Amino acid sequence: MPTTTTTPVTTALVTTTAGQVAGTDDGTTATWKGIRYAQAPVGPLRFRAPVPVAAWDGVLDATAFGPAAPQKANPSVPLAPGTVTDEDCLSLNVWRASAAPAAPLPVMVWVHGGAYAFGSSSQPLFDGSTLVSTGEVLLVTVNYRIGALGFLDLSSLSDDQQTFDSNLALRDVILALQWVQENAAAFGGDPDQVTLFGESAGGGLVTALMAVPSAAHLFHRAIAQSSPVSSMYDSARARTVADRVLAELGLDASQVGRLRELPADALVEAGSAVYAQVPAQAPGTLAFAPVVDGDLLPEHPVTVLREGRANPVPLLIGTNKDEAALFTFMKSPLIPITEEAITTMLTDMAEQDPTLELPSREQILATYAGQHARGIGLGIAREIGFRMPTLWAAEGHAAVAPTYLYRFDHSTPMLKALRLGATHATELPYVWGNLHADSKDLTFALGGRGTGREVSRRMVARWRSFATTGAPTGSDDLVLWPPFDPHTRRATMVIDRHDRVVDDLDATVRAGWGEKVLSFS
C-alpha cells in the first residue's frame, strides 16, 4: 500500500484588542476565520449602527468561517456547501503567508458583491491562499449585513421611542476597517497601507466609502471592480422602499417597531419581494443600495468622484466588456435590457430632473450602429449600469490621485458559446487565482484553462502590486499600465489573452452618451 503524507496543521495564536484568537497554519498559509468584529445586530441592535464586539476571556476558536448574512439562495452567487446563515454575521477572516513577515505587510480588505442582497466572505471563490502566497500582502475578507437587514433605511421613522440608523452595511464595513486599523499589526499587517477592494455591490460600497468623510483615514488605496457607482438614492426614495417592505409584511409606519420582533427570515422574504418589484416597475433602480442620507454619506458618490472631491487615494477601477449578458442569462430584472425598459428608465430620469440634458434616442442608437436589437439593449444596459459611471468617476478622480482604468475582455470558449462573453463577475476567478473554486462551474468545460492561468497570473500580480506600491505594474514582463488622464490619451488597460493599452477606448460611447452625469436621485 502506498503511504500518504499530510501537511501538519499548527495553531496560530494572535492577541487582538478584544482577546486572543487561534487560527490554523498549514505551513503555507495561516488563516484566522470567523473573527467577530461587532456585536450581534439583533433585537434592539437590529437596524442600528454596529457596536464593536465586547472583549472575551480565553481563546476564540478562529478555525471556521462565521455565518453568512441571511439571504435567499441564488445560483449566480453560490455559497459554500453547508454554509449557515444567521443575523449574527458580522465577522471577518484574515489570510497571510505562513512565514512571519520581516516588515509589516500592506493589507488588502475585500468587500464581496451580490447585488446588495447575496453573498458572503466565505464563498470558495474568495479563498485568499493565492493572493497571500508570495508573502507580499495580508488579506482581510469581510461580512456585512445585506438585503433588507443591511440596506433598509428606516431613519425617517425614528422618534422618541425608537431610533433607526441609515446605511447599516456601510457602517459595518467602516467598523471592520476600524478593526483593521487596531488589529492588523498583530497579524503582521501595516495599518497605514490598506487597500479596500470589492466587486459589483462590493465595488459600489468601495466607491461610496470614497465619498464618506469619516472613512477617509481608514484606507489608502481603492480597487472598484464593476461598481454601480451611480446606483444610489436619496432619503425620499429610500422611504418609498421602506414603505413597500412594511406593506409586504402587512404593517404601516406606526408599526415599524415590530420589525425588530420579526424573525430574520420574514424580513428576507419581504425584502426579496421588494427587491424584485422595484427594478421591474422602475427600470434602472435597485431596492437596496447605499443612501445619500446627508449624514454618513452627505453627497452622491458619483458627483463627489466626478468633481474630484473624493478621498484622494490611488484608484484602480474598471468594468467587464459584456457586463449585462449575465443579467439577461439569469432573467434578472436588475438591469434594463428591453427597449421598453430602457425607454421607461430614460423617461423616469427626465421626469425626476427636467434640467437634465439627456442624449437623444438617435444619438444613443448611433453608438451601436450595425448591432442587432439584443446587442443594442445589452450595450445600453452595460453603459448606464456600469461603464459610463466608471468613466465619470475615473475622469474626476484622476485630477486628485493616480487613477488606473481597465476593461476585462477575456472569455473562455464555453462562455462565448453561451453568449455570455466577459460578463459581470467573470473576472473574479482570475483576480483571486481560483480557477477551480466551484466544481460545478462550466467556465472551462470547452477548454481555455491554460490561457486562463496566464491571465490570472498577470491580474494577481497587478492587483498585489497596486496594494503594495499604489501602481498596478506587476512584474517586469507585463505591459506597462499608464495612469488614466482624461485630458491626454485616456489610457485603458484591456485585459485579455494578451494585455494591451488602448487610448480613448470609449470614444464612441462617450460621443453617444454625452458628458453629463446621468443618475437617479
Side-chain angles (χ1 to χ4, degrees), residues 10-14 21-25 30-32:
T10 59
T11 299
L13 192 65
V14 170
V21 292
T24 59
D25 188 338
T31 60
W32 297 265

Side-chain angles (χ1 to χ4, degrees), residues 115-117 147 150-153 167-170 201 205 208 228 230-234 238 241 285-292 297:
Y116 299 116
F151 291 94
L152 189 62
D153 185 356
N167 283 313
L168 303 171
L170 273 179
L205 292 174
S230 59
S231 296
M232 295 172 199
Y233 314 110
D234 62 17
V241 172
T285 66
L286 305 175
F288 303 119
V291 174
V292 182
L297 187 59

Side-chain angles (χ1 to χ4, degrees), residues 83-233:
T83 295
V84 173
T85 61
D86 193 281
E87 202 170 351
D88 184 7
C89 62
L90 299 182
S91 65
L92 50 77
N93 318 293
V94 181
W95 307 73
R96 195 197 72 201
S98 290
L105 300 174
V107 183
M108 299 182 74
V109 179
W110 172 251
V111 186
H112 70 80
Y116 299 116
F118 307 99
S120 171
S121 65
S122 60
Q123 291 172 239
L125 184 58
F126 307 139
D127 182 296
S129 301
T130 299
L131 273 179
V132 304
S133 61
T134 59
E136 296 173 75
V137 296
L138 181 84
L139 173 69
V140 178
T141 59
V142 178
N143 270 5
Y144 58 93
R145 285 173 282 184
I146 59 178
L149 290 163
F151 291 94
L152 189 62
D153 185 356
L154 302 171
S155 58
S156 64
L157 298 172
S158 295
D159 56 29
D160 293 339
Q161 281 72 48
Q162 52 199 350
T163 300
F164 302 96
D165 293 312
S166 61
N167 283 313
L168 303 171
L170 273 179
R171 296 178 193 273
D172 291 345
V173 178
I174 288 172
L175 185 58
L177 287 168
Q178 291 171 343
W179 184 96
V180 169
Q181 287 297 305
E182 296 170 359
N183 293 285
F187 294 86
D190 184 352
D192 294 325
Q193 292 194 75
V194 174
T195 297
L196 183 64
F197 72 131
E199 180 268 347
S200 191
L205 292 174
V206 170
T207 49
L209 285 166
M210 292 182 70
V212 172
S214 61
H217 65 292
L218 297 177
F219 60 97
H220 314 92
R221 292 182 263 280
I223 301 174
Q225 302 167 211
S226 301
S227 170
V229 185
S230 59
S231 296
M232 295 172 199
Y233 314 110

